[in-house]
């Protein structure tokens, strides 16, 4: 809508007819004061403003419009009997389009300018619309992201509390079972069931510990308590532990590094135990497991080799990912798919790395390296 402001009814009539003939919607005001009132109520694409009016003149109206945020961008065409100085017009009216047409009005020139401003206005409107839609979209995405983050934080918190709460009763169960175990005579038939229960309790304990570790890793709450220790001894102790748990496996340790390592000893032992229990778990038919240690460029390198089911080539880069389990074997073997993820995080936090070599159907070798102290 275009607003024509002129104190002469005749001029208004001529301009209105001209513009309406070219399909422009038109509104009119007979004075500066009336124009200001209208501008505050309605939005206009353009104002055609007579300079010489009794009361408030065109320049004063423009000055007020330029000082108001809602109106400062409406373009103005001044109608003036005399040739006015452009610098004077633009004073105080820096933003928004501005132009002038001298009287007597040449209809072609006026139409040309009106069309230009109208087109600009239309382009601006479309741009503003696009911009506001984009802004809404950004806001919406931000909100969705915040909600997702909050949900994920709550889930992590729940996981952490749940696994912690589960550990307490489990620890008492284990203690009571051990008491029962001790009070039975070796010949008691029930002994075998107690042993099996204890094995299941240990498995459950490992699962819960893994869940707790994972949630601590996610929250950056897994703390490392680093001390200086003999690396070869750690490897031998961890292997011995697994040997006792799985007496039917033949587990050998070869090589040596002869170095001290500065790290969290129980956590590094956990990595090795994870590698070893995987080696046992995923080689149900081959009972041979070979652990090897060596020193290379001041890094201790450990490898755990089994002759079990192996891992297909395409799955090999994935196995250290959280929850990843190789397709096809996941129903045969129990697990959460978090063991290797935790291992790789622990090793990374010790400035080392994890990797593997494997041939499907023939077996796997899992490695990790860690710098000497
Ligand atoms: P858990 O969280 O209880 O350890 P998991 O053993 O399934 O469960 P990871 O130890 O992270 O999880 O291992 C991920 C996957 O990598 C396993 O599901 C298995 O498919 C594959 N994998 C790991 N070690 C071996 C191995 N020695 N031989 C063959 N496949 C293996
Ligand atoms: Mg595992």
């Amino acid at each position: 809508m275009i607003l024509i402001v002129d104190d002469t009814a005749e001029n208004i009539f001529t301009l209105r007819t001209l513009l309406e003939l070219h399909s422009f919607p038109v509104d009119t005001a007979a004075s500066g004061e009336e124009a200001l009132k209208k501008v505050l109520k309605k939005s206009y694409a353009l104002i055609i403003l007579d300079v010489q009016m009794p009361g408030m003149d065109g320049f004063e109206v423009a000055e007020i419009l330029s000082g108001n945020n809602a109106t400062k961008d409406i373009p103005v065409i001044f109608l003036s009997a005399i040739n006015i100085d452009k610098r004077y017009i633009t004073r105080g009216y820096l933003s928004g389009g501005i132009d002038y047409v001298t009287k007597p009005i040449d209809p072609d020139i006026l139409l040309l300018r009106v069309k230009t401003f109208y087109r600009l206005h239309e382009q601006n409107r479309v741009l503003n619309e696009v911009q506001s839609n984009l802004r809404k979209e950004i806001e919406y995405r931000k909100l969705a992201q915040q909600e997702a983050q909050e949900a994920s934080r709550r889930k992590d918190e729940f996981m952490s509390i749940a696994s912690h709460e589960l550990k307490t009763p489990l620890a008492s169960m284990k203690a009571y079972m051990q008491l029962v175990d001790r009070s039975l005579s070796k010949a008691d038939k029930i002994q075998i069931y107690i042993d099996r229960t204890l094995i299941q309790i240990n498995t459950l304990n490992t699962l819960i510990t893994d869940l707790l570790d994972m949630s601590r890793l996610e929250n950056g709450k897994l703390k490392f308590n680093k001390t200086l220790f003999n690396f070869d001894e750690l490897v031998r102790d961890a292997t011995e532990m697994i040997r006792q748990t799985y007496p039917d496996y033949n587990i050998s340790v070869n090589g040596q590094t002869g170095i001290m390592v500065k790290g969290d000893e129980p956590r590094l032992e956990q990595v090795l135990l994870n590698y070893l229990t995987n080696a046992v778990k995923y080689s149900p038919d081959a009972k041979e497991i070979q652990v090897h240690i060596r020193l290379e460029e001041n890094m201790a390198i450990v490898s755990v080799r089994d002759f079990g089911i192996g891992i297909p080539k395409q799955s090999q880069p994935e196995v250290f990912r959280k929850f990843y389990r190789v397709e096809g074997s996941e129903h045969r073997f129990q697990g959460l798919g978090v063991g290797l993820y935790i291992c790789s995080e622990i090793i990374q936090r010790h400035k080392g790395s994890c990797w593997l070599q494997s041939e499907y159907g023939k077996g796997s070798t899992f490695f990790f390296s860690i710098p000497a102290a």
Side-chain angles (χ1 to χ4, degrees):
M1 170 102 45
I2 300 173
L3 179 64
I4 304 168
V5 190
D6 203 313
D7 58 313
T8 325
E10 225 172 278
N11 287 349
I12 286 195
F13 179 78
T14 329
L15 280 176
R16 170 176 226 147
T17 317
L18 174 71
L19 292 176
E20 283 181 347
L21 209 66
H22 288 86
S23 316
F24 288 108
V26 171
D27 197 3
T28 61
S31 69
E33 290 84 352
E34 192 190 347
L36 286 178
K37 270 187 211 148
K38 289 206 162 180
V39 163
L40 288 176
K41 280 192 207 131
K42 253 194 230 172
S43 89
Y44 294 97
L46 172 67
I47 300 173
I48 299 175
L49 194 52
D50 185 20
V51 172
Q52 278 139 340
M53 290 185 291
M56 196 183 276
D57 74 13
F59 292 140
E60 285 173 285
V61 175
E63 194 111 26
I64 294 173
L65 290 178
S66 73
N68 186 328
N69 252 344
T71 56
K72 71 177 171 33
D73 293 323
I74 309 174
V76 174
I77 298 176
F78 290 106
L79 301 179
S80 164
I82 40 161
N83 211 344
I84 39 174
D85 187 347
K86 257 202 171 176
R87 268 177 311 174
Y88 184 57
I89 304 174
T90 45
R91 199 187 58 190
Y93 202 85
L94 293 171
S95 52
I98 192 144
D99 209 339
Y100 70 98
V101 172
T102 44
K103 289 180 182 174
I105 292 161
D106 177 337
D108 289 337
I109 289 184
L110 183 72
L111 264 179
L112 207 70
R113 300 208 168 147
V114 167
K115 276 184 190 160
T116 308
F117 276 124
Y118 225 82
R119 206 177 43 237
L120 274 176
H121 173 79
E122 194 47 31
Q123 283 168 353
N124 258 341
R125 199 188 54 75
V126 173
L127 267 179
N128 282 339
E129 206 170 290
V130 170
Q131 205 177 29
S132 115
N133 282 344
L134 274 176
R135 227 177 255 136
K136 273 187 213 147
E137 177 73 21
I138 290 171
E139 278 305 307
Y140 172 77
R141 288 193 186 190
K142 257 194 207 153
L143 210 71
Q145 200 182 16
Q146 273 169 6
E147 276 170 14
Q149 274 170 352
E150 177 58 19
S152 153
R153 195 193 56 75
R154 275 206 298 266
K155 184 206 74 192
D156 287 346
E157 202 175 270
F158 169 77
M159 283 263 292
S160 154
I161 293 170
S163 16
H164 196 79
E165 291 299 309
L166 287 169
K167 281 199 94 158
T168 318
L170 200 64
S172 332
M173 257 168 86
K174 187 172 172 174
Y176 286 126
M177 269 301 153
Q178 279 166 340
L179 281 179
V180 175
D181 192 30
R182 255 173 252 151
S183 43
L184 288 175
S185 76
K186 284 282 166 225
D188 207 313
K189 265 191 184 160
I190 198 176
Q191 180 80 48
I192 185 166
Y193 301 124
I194 301 286
D195 286 348
R196 283 183 192 167
T197 309
L198 275 168
I199 290 174
Q200 293 303 324
I201 288 178
N202 280 337
T203 309
L204 196 53
N205 195 41
T206 313
L207 285 175
I208 294 170
T209 309
D210 278 355
L211 281 177
L212 194 58
D213 282 350
M214 200 187 61
S215 76
R216 281 186 186 142
L217 274 172
E218 310 284 77
N219 299 323
K221 281 186 188 150
L222 195 70
K223 295 280 174 282
F224 291 101
N225 182 14
K226 294 190 179 175
T227 55
L228 210 59
F229 63 88
N230 182 312
F231 190 71
D232 296 0
E233 265 172 32
L234 168 110
V235 176
R236 283 176 214 287
D237 290 350
T239 312
E240 190 47 42
M241 216 187 291
I242 294 293
R243 231 182 244 138
Q244 281 175 13
T245 320
Y246 304 99
D248 50 334
Y249 278 77
N250 178 21
I251 309 173
S252 61
V253 185
N254 284 298
Q256 61 172 47
T257 69
I259 57 158
M260 299 294 281
V261 160
K262 190 164 196 286
D264 188 317
E265 199 174 354
R267 288 289 172 197
L268 290 171
E269 183 176 67
Q270 183 185 353
V271 174
L272 197 56
L273 291 177
N274 255 313
Y275 275 20
L276 285 165
T277 41
N278 274 350
V280 168
K281 178 155 77 168
Y282 297 105
S283 56
D285 303 323
K287 303 288 178 196
E288 174 88 13
I289 292 168
Q290 298 168 352
V291 180
H292 193 267
I293 38 180
R294 66 178 195 272
L295 189 66
E296 205 176 288
E297 290 171 5
N298 223 26
M299 299 286 277
I301 298 175
V302 185
S303 62
V304 176
R305 179 173 188 194
D306 66 62
F307 300 87
I309 62 168
I311 300 168
K313 262 242 135 21
Q314 72 272 17
S315 302
Q316 290 177 14
E318 314 282 342
V319 291
F320 290 102
R321 261 180 40 206
K322 190 167 50 171
F323 302 133
Y324 184 82
R325 310 201 65 218
V326 174
E327 224 172 290
S329 59
E330 78 266 40
H331 304 301
R332 259 177 82 198
F333 304 97
Q334 283 181 348
L336 294 174
V338 300
L340 289 178
Y341 164 71
I342 295 171
C343 289
S344 78
E345 292 287 321
I346 292 174
I347 293 299
Q348 265 176 41
R349 299 271 286 268
H350 282 84
K351 301 195 167 52
S353 43
C354 296
W355 70 100
L356 76 146
Q357 285 165 0
S358 183
E359 198 174 334
Y360 187 51
K362 295 216 166 140
S364 315
T365 310
F366 278 80
F367 299 83
F368 75 82
S369 66
I370 181 159

